[in-house]
């Protein structure tokens, strides 16, 4: 006990041991003591010494402390002491160390306290990193720590959370890797957010912040562990923007999860969490007295919105988020803050930047922003109010940069908005009673403040970006410089200010004004030959540019020289040679004489070599530490990158090379024309193939129709045959009656003549039908030959040819059928001619009769017979027509019957199988009956042998039959 009394501060007799000796004895006690209480007291003592003797405790006791975590899991008190000791050794945060000693529940963020001696603090940081390396050498130690976090005991879980947070701060990447491969490692840490004790939940937020830094895999796991839902719930519970530091921690964790992580951003959008952000920005009318924490929270909330619509995201993802923000009313809420009064400057600046990225490239959002009005009297468009701030030199620099960024985003890929801005500068739309965006831009462009000049020039350049129509429209703008002098164009006024240079007194950097004007002019005349012609039409412009480029100026003027070279190069590249004095060739000769080609290219390269060029090219938002460094615009850097190479080539090209290039262009155009012709030919061939396919389908339909016609004609021929046979029989009977009576012959001769005439008419009708069929066959042969010739020209003609060959075969069959029909018709004609000949001979041999009454009777009889036969013929024709219709119906019924037969055959097969099985069963039953008969017979035989009277079945049947006969006899009696 004396030993512990000395350690814990009590007085002991004799000399006091040193700190290292005491720690050594405590370590021995922890390692060798068998009593849990002794080990607990030793660990408590090590904890109290771990700050003063950090090195000694860390080097001697760390292994023993880790062993305690592994072996004494049942005692939460000793586990808490061990975890606190390890935390004191690893942590470099003095404030957190103090919290660990006192065990006061402190929630929220903790900030490092800088030590008076920076060297000592650096040594302490190195010491914490060394102890962290020692602890994580064995990954099982981190896994053990994750297991301990499952303990609900406050004295175990809270020190464990702080220890793991300190490990992540010192060696984040290594510890993240261990946790990532640990089973359920991230899920265990996510459970901390559901802890009912706020201090553990809040420190769990700090732990997850460290865990999710720069690790996309862990960020995705945390997001899919329902982190968004939990964090948004905590933010709502804590009061949203009015909440405390816990809301700030939640927002920082959300930023970690969403920034540069497209998967989590998509998950956040698909989960409808964007809609839950809208209530954050519902600020009241009374915006006075914003607390520092509220400003911080709202600033982070705006950053969270910007992360979802950042220009570095994929265009599709940003556009989808922009639509969601407009549909849920978030954009409208941000615009309300934008136009509200009493909002702190930094929040207003960040809100402007946020609105900028929400509307950037989204037409519907840009249209809505254009319709927003400030709550002033009279109401003014929000764009006008913002531009007033941009050209006002009294406004903060960051606010003016934010307004410029907002204006740029409003015009980004918005030709409608560009047209509206340029229209405010045109003479027909200027309203003297109101301030327009164009008036503000012109006022800023010609202000004495250089920053206003630069911002107005860049804003106006964005109104012309990639819009040839507005570039030409802006040439119409005329400015009244002073009373009594004629107005000058805006283009001319810009060049006048540029040429005056240092003569005008300005506030700020004079280089900044000239750079802004040169960027505006380069953007204006780029890819606009009409603007180039207007620029060259002023005789002073080209000499001014050549003079600026050829002079040897200081470092500050080098950028101006490079921009002048770029402007002159654009005049060469987009020159349409409409001005005789400033054609392409003459401008190149002028450069070669006054400047030198190599010197010109060198001056042109000054732009991209400037240190501020690369900074502006990184992202669209203009972020500059000071107004003097605000020289380049992001979109302009892309224009320079695009033009530098082509201008260099254009300057070095000789007239011969240009001619060759023109020839090459012509050759390429010819090649393109040839390719176009081949494409047209292919299209025509495709159309021909399609047409041939349609013709083949038409011919197939016609073939079917011809087959139907052939069937009808066959039936008609059969009818004619029947009629012919009837007439032949009737004619034979008439000839027989003529041999008995001359008077009868005279009347028969008249009847035969009428029948012969009728037969001739029918024969002619058949011949005409035959001729019609021959004509149709000839037409089909001609069509088939034309199809063969057309199908041989196309790649797919083989298919049509095969179809035509099939049609040919069918037509050959039709031709053979028609030939057989014609043979039958010819045979019928021969027989009819024979009948006619016989009838004429009979008429010539017969004598006229004198008995009129007898002739009249016979004539009436014959006419009645003829009428009856005619009626019979009509009836037969009607029956034939109905039979042809019924044949079609029968064919349909046959098809259905065929399918029914197939079904019945299947069922028949099943029934046959069942019959076979029934036969087998019957055979088995017969065999059983036969066995039973044998048994019965044997039993009867045995009964007979025993003397019993047994009647056989045959005897019984005979007796029954006798009884029946006897009863019948009685009934008869």
């Amino acid at each position: 006990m004396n030993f512990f009394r000395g350690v814990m501060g009590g007085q002991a007799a004799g000399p006091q041991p040193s700190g290292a000796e005491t720690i050594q004895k405590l370590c021995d006690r922890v390692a060798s003591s068998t009593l849990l209480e002794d080990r607990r007291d030793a660990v408590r003592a090590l904890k109290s010494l771990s700050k003063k003797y950090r090195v000694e405790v860390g080097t001697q006791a760390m292994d023993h402390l880790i062993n305690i975590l592994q072996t004494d899991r049942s005692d939460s008190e000793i586990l808490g002491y061990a975890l606190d000791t390890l935390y004191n050794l690893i942590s470099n945060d003095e404030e957190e160390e103090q919290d660990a000693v006192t065990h006061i529940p402190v929630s929220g963020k903790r900030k490092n306290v800088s030590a008076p001696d920076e060297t000592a603090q650096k040594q302490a940081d190195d010491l914490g990193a060394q102890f962290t390396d020692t602890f994580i050498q064995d990954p099982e130690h981190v896994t053990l720590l994750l297991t301990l976090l499952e303990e609900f005991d406050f004295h175990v879980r809270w020190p464990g959370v702080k220890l793991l947070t300190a490990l992540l701060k010192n060696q984040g990447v290594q510890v993240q890797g261990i946790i990532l491969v640990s089973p359920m490692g991230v899920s265990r840490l996510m459970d901390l957010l559901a802890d009912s004790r706020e201090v553990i939940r809040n420190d769990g937020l700090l732990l997850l912040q460290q865990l999710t830094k720069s690790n996309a895999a862990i960020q995705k796991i945390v997001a899919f562990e329902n982190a968004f839902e939990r964090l948004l719930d905590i933010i709502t519970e804590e009061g949203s923007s009015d909440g405390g530091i816990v809301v700030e921690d939640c927002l920082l964790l959300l930023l970690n999860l969403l920034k540069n992580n497209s998967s989590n951003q998509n998950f956040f959008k698909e989960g409808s969490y964007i809609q839950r952000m809208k209530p954050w920005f519902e600020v009241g009318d009374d915006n006075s007295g914003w607390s520092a924490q509220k400003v911080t929270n709202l600033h982070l909330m705006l950053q969270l919105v910007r992360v979802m619509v950042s220009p570095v995201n994929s265009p599709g993802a940003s556009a989808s988020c922009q639509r969601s923000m407009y549909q849920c009313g978030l954009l409208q809420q941000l615009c309300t803050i934008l136009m509200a009064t009493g909002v702190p400057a930094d929040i207003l600046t960040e809100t402007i930047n946020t609105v900028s990225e929400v509307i950037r490239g989204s037409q519907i959002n840009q249209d809505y922003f254009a319709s927003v009005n400030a709550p002033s009297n009279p109401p003014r468009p929000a764009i006008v109010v913002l531009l007033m701030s941009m050209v006002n030199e009294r406004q903060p620099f960051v606010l003016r940069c934010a307004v410029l960024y907002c204006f740029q985003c409003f015009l980004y890929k918005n030709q409608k908005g560009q047209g509206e801005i340029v229209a405010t500068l045109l003479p027909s739309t200027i309203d003297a009673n109101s301030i327009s965006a164009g008036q503000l831009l012109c006022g800023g462009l010609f202000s004495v403040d250089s920053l206003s000049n630069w911002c107005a020039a860049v804003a106006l350049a964005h109104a012309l970006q990639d819009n040839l129509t507005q570039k030409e429209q802006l040439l119409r703008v005329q400015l009244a410089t002073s009373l009594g002098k004629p107005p000058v164009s805006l283009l001319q006024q810009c060049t006048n200010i540029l040429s005056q240079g240092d003569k005008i007194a300005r506030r700020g950097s004079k280089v900044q004004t000239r750079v802004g004007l040169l960027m505006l002019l380069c953007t204006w005349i780029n890819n606009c030959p009409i603007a180039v012609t207007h620029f060259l039409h002023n005789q002073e412009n080209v000499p001014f540019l050549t003079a600026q480029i050829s002079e040897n100026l200081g470092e500050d003027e080098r950028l101006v020289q490079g921009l002048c070279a770029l402007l002159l190069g654009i005049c060469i590249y987009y020159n349409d040679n409409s001005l005789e004095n400033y054609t392409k060739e003459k401008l190149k000769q002028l450069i070669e004489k006054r400047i030198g080609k190599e010197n010109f290219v060198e001056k042109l390269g000054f732009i991209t070599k400037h240190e501020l060029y690369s900074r502006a090219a990184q992202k669209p938002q203009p972020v500059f530490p000071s107004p003097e460094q605000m020289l380049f615009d992001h979109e302009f850097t892309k224009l320079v990158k695009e033009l530098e190479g082509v201008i260099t080539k254009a300057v070095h090209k000789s007239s011969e090379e240009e001619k060759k290039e023109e020839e090459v262009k012509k050759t390429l155009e010819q090649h393109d024309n040839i390719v176009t012709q081949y494409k047209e030919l292919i299209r025509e061939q495709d159309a021909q193939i399609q047409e041939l396919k349609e013709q083949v389908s038409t011919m197939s339909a016609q073939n079917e129709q011809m087959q139907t016609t052939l069937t009808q004609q066959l039936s008609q021929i059969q009818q004619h045959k029947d009629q012919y046979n009837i007439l032949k029989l009737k004619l034979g009977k008439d000839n027989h009656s003529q041999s008995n009576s001359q008077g009868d012959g005279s009347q028969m001769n008249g009847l035969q003549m009428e029948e012969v005439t009728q037969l001739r008419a029918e024969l002619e009708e058949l011949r005409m039908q035959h001729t019609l069929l021959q004509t149709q066959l000839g037409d089909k042969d001609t069509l088939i030959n034309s199809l063969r010739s057309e199908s041989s020209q196309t790649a797919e003609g083989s298919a049509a040819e095969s179809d035509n060959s099939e049609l040919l075969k069918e037509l050959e069959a039709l031709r053979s059928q028609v030939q057989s029909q014609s043979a039958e018709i010819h045979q019928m004609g021969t027989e009819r001619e024979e009948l006619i000949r016989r009838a004429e001979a009979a008429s010539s041999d017969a004598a006229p009769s004198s008995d009129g009454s007898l002739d009249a009777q016979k004539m009436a009889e014959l006419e009645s017979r003829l009428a009856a036969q005619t009626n019979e013929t009509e009836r037969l024709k009607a029956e034939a027509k109905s039979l042809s219709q019924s044949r079609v119906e029968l064919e349909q019924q046959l098809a259905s019957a065929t399918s029914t037969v197939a079904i019945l055959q299947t069922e028949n097969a099943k029934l046959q199988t069942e019959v076979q099985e029934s036969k087998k069963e019957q055979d088995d039953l017969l065999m059983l009956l036969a066995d039973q008969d044998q048994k019965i017979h044997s039993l009867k035989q045995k009964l007979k042998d025993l003397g019993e009277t047994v009647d056989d079945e045959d005897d019984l049947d005979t007796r029954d039959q006798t009884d029946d006969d006897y009863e019948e006899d009685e009934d008869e009696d």
Side-chain angles (χ1 to χ4, degrees), residues 584-855:
K584 283 185 179 181
E585 189 61 32
K586 289 186 177 180
L587 287 175
K588 285 193 287 185
Q589 292 175 0
L590 184 64
I591 289 174
E592 190 172 2
K593 292 179 181 178
R594 299 280 182 87
I595 305 170
K597 291 183 178 180
E598 298 301 328
N599 189 24
F600 178 85
V601 173
E602 182 183 358
K603 297 292 178 65
L604 183 63
F606 286 164
I607 302 174
T608 55
K609 293 177 182 178
H610 200 280
E611 58 180 354
L612 297 177
Y613 174 87
S614 57
R615 183 183 299 177
Q618 292 175 359
K619 56 182 180 179
Q621 183 181 1
V623 179
F624 302 97
S626 63
E628 292 76 17
Q629 296 184 6
M630 200 170 185
L631 291 178
F632 284 104
D633 173 56
H634 176 76
E635 293 296 328
F636 183 74
T637 58
K638 294 195 290 187
L639 179 65
V640 172
K641 186 177 180 181
E642 176 187 346
L643 291 177
E644 184 178 10
V646 295
I647 289 175
T648 303
K649 291 180 181 178
V651 170
H652 281 290
K653 282 178 187 175
S654 62
S655 58
E656 295 179 356
E657 290 177 346
E658 286 188 353
K659 290 180 181 178
K660 290 181 180 179
E661 186 175 349
E662 291 294 332
E663 292 177 358
V664 170
K665 286 183 179 179
K666 290 181 180 178
T667 305
L668 291 175
E669 288 178 358
Q670 292 177 357
H671 177 72
D672 292 339
N673 292 333
I674 293 172
V675 171
T676 305
Q677 290 176 0
Y678 276 113
K679 287 181 179 178
E680 292 295 331
L681 180 61
I682 291 171
R683 290 193 189 95
E684 291 176 1
Q685 290 179 347
D686 289 338
Q688 290 177 359
I689 291 170
Q690 189 65 28
E691 185 179 355
L692 287 174
K693 287 181 179 179
E694 293 177 357
Q695 289 180 2
V696 168
S697 61
T698 304
M699 289 181 63
S700 300
Q702 290 177 355
N703 183 26
E704 294 177 357
Q705 185 177 2
M706 288 179 65
Q707 287 181 347
T708 305
T709 305
L710 180 62
T711 305
Q712 293 176 357
Q713 296 213 352
L714 286 173
S715 64
Q716 290 178 2
I717 290 170
Q718 187 63 38
Q719 290 176 7
H720 289 308
K721 282 183 178 180
D722 295 339
Q723 292 176 5
Y724 172 74
N725 291 330
I726 292 171
L727 291 173
K728 188 176 180 181
L729 291 173
K730 185 173 69 173
L731 186 61
K733 292 179 181 179
D734 292 339
N735 288 333
H736 180 70
S737 64
Q738 283 178 1
S739 63
N740 296 326
S741 175
Q742 292 181 353
D744 292 344
S746 175
Q747 295 297 326
M748 185 64 71
N749 182 34
L751 179 62
Q752 287 177 353
M753 291 302 292
E754 292 177 358
E755 291 177 351
V756 166
T757 303
Q758 183 179 2
L759 289 173
R760 284 178 177 176
E762 292 178 355
L763 182 62
E764 287 297 328
E765 183 179 357
L766 289 173
R767 285 176 179 174
M768 290 173 65
Q769 292 179 357
H770 176 69
T771 306
L772 178 63
L773 287 174
Q774 291 289 346
T775 306
Q776 291 179 356
L777 286 174
D779 294 338
K780 298 301 176 185
D781 290 337
T782 305
L783 180 60
I784 289 168
N785 291 329
S786 64
L787 287 174
R788 282 179 177 173
S789 62
E790 291 177 358
S791 61
S792 62
Q793 297 177 359
T794 60
E796 298 181 1
S798 58
E801 188 174 355
S802 61
D803 295 336
N804 293 334
S805 62
E806 293 178 1
L807 290 174
L808 281 173
K809 292 179 181 179
E810 294 178 358
L811 291 174
E812 289 296 332
L814 290 175
R815 187 182 289 110
S816 62
Q817 291 179 2
V818 171
Q819 288 177 356
S820 63
Q821 291 178 12
S822 62
E824 292 177 357
I825 292 170
H826 181 70
Q827 183 179 357
M828 291 174 63
T830 305
E831 292 178 355
R832 290 187 179 186
E833 289 176 357
E834 179 65 23
L835 286 173
I836 293 169
R837 185 181 60 77
R838 288 170 58 189
E840 290 176 351
S843 63
S844 61
D845 294 338
S849 174
S850 59
D851 193 352
S853 61
L854 184 61
D855 292 342

Side-chain angles (χ1 to χ4, degrees), residues 385-400:
V385 175
L386 291 175
L387 288 177
M388 291 171 68
S389 300
M390 186 186 74
V391 298
N392 187 353
E393 56 184 306
R394 299 176 187 174
Q395 294 292 338
F397 172 65
V398 290
L399 179 63
R400 299 174 73 181

Side-chain angles (χ1 to χ4, degrees), residues 228 231-236 239-242 247 250-251 254 258 268 273-283 290 294 297-298 300-305 330 333-334 337:
F228 293 140
L231 292 172
L232 292 174
D233 288 342
I234 294 173
I235 291 173
T236 304
S240 297
S241 60
D242 294 324
V247 174
C250 291
L251 293 170
L254 283 172
L258 292 174
F268 190 85
Y273 296 120
I274 290 178
Q275 287 80 343
R276 296 187 61 178
M277 298 166 68
K278 180 189 173 185
W280 296 351
F281 304 102
E282 293 177 353
V283 296
W290 287 49
K294 181 175 181 178
N297 291 344
L298 203 54
L300 290 173
M301 290 172 178
L302 292 169
Q303 286 186 357
L304 197 60
V305 175
L330 180 57
Q333 204 65 45
L334 292 173
I337 298 176

